[in-house]
Amino acid sequence: MGSRVIDVPLSVLDLAPVAAGGSATEALRHTTELARRTDEWGYRRFWVAEHHNMPAIASSAPAVLLAHLAAHTENIRLGSGGVMLPNHAPLVVAEQFGTLEALHPGRIDLGIGRAPGTDQVTALALRRTMEGLSAEGFPRELADLMEYFSEDGSGPITATPGRGQRPAVWLLGSSGFSARLAGALGLPFSFAHHFSAQNTLPALALYRQSFRPSQWLERPYAMVAVNAVCAETDERAEWLSGPAGLSFLRLRSGRPEPLATPEEAAAYPYTDLEREFLVQRREGQATGSPETVRRQLGELLARTGADELMLTAMVYDVVDRVRSFELIATEVAGGLRR
């Protein structure tokens, strides 16, 4: 098998992908099955991400979905990757995740992002006002959210559940802003290498340089999210990864659609620029046989010094998606430890 490259925990980021010809009901059922199986295999966390107005993604309500997943799993930590704070009043987030923590103590992560996770028109429909939608307001709203969880909060409002029932709070980022803020606050940091690979090393360096010990962490803790599609052969994994690239191209051009089949993705008439874009997007990710993925993840760990890897796979068929995570657990990592 070769040397094991995984001496760090592995986790999962799932977007509840809606396949072409399928439904949100099926997508959520498949996400539940994946959470159950990755719990059995020993993955550390299972996160779902908030997106809106995207036909290919059914994880638009993380708190609701996490409550369902918690009822169908036993050990794996469950969390948001993330809740997009500009879309919500901090009190609402505190009460939702305070409720989750009260129901499932010690198993809930609250990953917070500062982007809306959608277009500005949809973001306005969610928030109903432009106030709070700017990046400048994010640190203040984050401070408000953290205060609602505090056991000795002195404000006039008590989040119930919420006060004293603090989930593990993470900051998410794809640039340096949240990296610096996470370091200054002494919070764990998760970087979106899967769609912002060019910023990974600068952001991680900034996080570590900015880090100040806190009541939550004594030293920096960085998790890197990476696209990872594993199959029995390199060719099969490349085939399975095609729909994710096409989905990203369509989203980038303002034409989001449900996740295409591998056949549709292979037959799509890509321009030279589109092909070049997809090649660049694949750099630093992990796609291939267990041996190939082991090497690629090992290189990523060597470059980043990550304390944990979070794997995501936008694969059309749930059987292939589940199999990818199984191969990584059993053949790439050689068996995951709790």
Side-chain angles (χ1 to χ4, degrees):
M1 181 184 297
S3 61
R4 182 192 300 179
V5 302
I6 302 300
D7 283 327
V8 301
L10 293 183
S11 293
V12 180
L13 172 65
D14 194 70
L15 306 184
V18 180
S23 66
T25 296
E26 292 171 337
L28 295 171
R29 185 172 68 246
H30 294 161
T31 287
T32 304
E33 173 64 11
L34 182 61
R36 189 181 65 79
R37 298 296 299 277
T38 52
D39 184 21
E40 295 172 354
W41 293 324
Y43 283 86
R44 175 166 288 188
R45 308 173 204 279
F46 191 98
W47 283 8
V48 296
E50 177 187 351
H51 292 281
H52 302 279
N53 198 27
M54 296 185 185
I57 297 175
S59 55
S60 56
V64 178
L65 180 53
L66 292 173
H68 174 76
L69 297 178
H72 287 79
T73 55
E74 296 181 2
N75 299 299
I76 197 166
R77 295 189 65 91
L78 297 158
S80 57
V83 162
M84 301 308 173
L85 192 55
N87 296 341
H88 311 284
L91 177 59
V92 172
V93 177
E95 290 176 339
Q96 289 176 344
F97 279 79
T99 298
L100 287 168
E101 179 66 21
L103 289 169
H104 307 281
R107 291 186 61 201
I108 303 301
D109 297 330
L110 173 53
I112 293 291
R114 72 179 180 96
T118 187
D119 57 87
Q120 287 297 310
V121 173
T122 307
L124 181 58
L126 286 162
R127 193 71 183 242
R128 297 190 298 170
T129 173
M130 291 302 294
E131 185 179 355
L133 292 178
S134 68
E136 292 74 18
F138 179 76
R140 174 181 53 78
E141 297 213 330
L142 177 63
D144 290 344
L145 173 62
M146 301 289 281
E147 179 66 18
Y148 286 128
F149 288 125
S150 175
E151 291 187 5
D152 56 355
S154 57
I157 300 172
T158 299
T160 308
R163 177 169 292 183
Q165 285 153 327
R166 185 197 304 272
V169 177
W170 290 66
L171 284 194
L172 281 54
S174 58
S175 64
F177 182 95
S178 290
R180 182 183 290 107
L181 184 59
L185 296 177
L187 292 172
F189 178 59
S190 179
F191 188 81
H193 176 79
H194 58 304
F195 65 79
S196 187
Q198 70 277 10
N199 292 326
T200 303
L201 295 183
L204 292 178
L206 186 58
Y207 169 61
R208 291 166 179 145
Q209 293 165 5
S210 304
F211 187 83
R212 300 292 180 268
S214 69
Q215 60 180 305
W216 302 287
L217 283 179
E218 293 183 358
R219 57 184 62 88
Y221 192 93
M223 179 165 65
V224 172
V226 54
N227 290 304
V229 176
C230 190
E232 280 71 10
T233 66
D234 288 349
E235 293 76 17
R236 175 69 176 171
E238 294 282 347
W239 171 260
L240 295 176
S241 68
L246 179 56
S247 179
F248 195 81
L249 277 178
R250 286 171 166 171
L251 177 64
R252 189 168 174 259
S253 63
R255 298 180 291 106
E257 297 181 23
L259 195 64
T261 65
E263 291 81 4
E264 182 183 354
Y268 186 82
Y270 299 97
T271 67
D272 290 342
L273 284 177
E274 287 173 334
R275 291 186 184 280
E276 181 180 353
F277 172 79
L278 291 178
V279 168
Q280 292 175 350
R281 185 172 180 269
R282 291 275 298 281
E283 291 178 0
Q285 311 300 317
T287 305
S289 66
E291 181 179 355
T292 298
V293 169
R294 187 185 310 118
R295 173 179 54 80
Q296 292 168 332
L297 292 182
E299 292 170 354
L300 179 63
L301 284 171
R303 290 196 307 273
T304 63
D307 300 289
E308 187 171 339
L309 293 178
M310 177 161 274
L311 314 178
T312 186
M314 288 285 281
V315 172
Y316 176 81
D317 193 304
V318 67
V319 173
D320 294 317
R321 194 153 107 246
V322 169
R323 180 59 174 160
S324 177
F325 284 102
E326 182 182 19
L327 286 172
I328 292 173
T330 58
E331 298 192 30
V332 174
L336 295 174
R337 296 171 292 181
R338 285 288 176 197

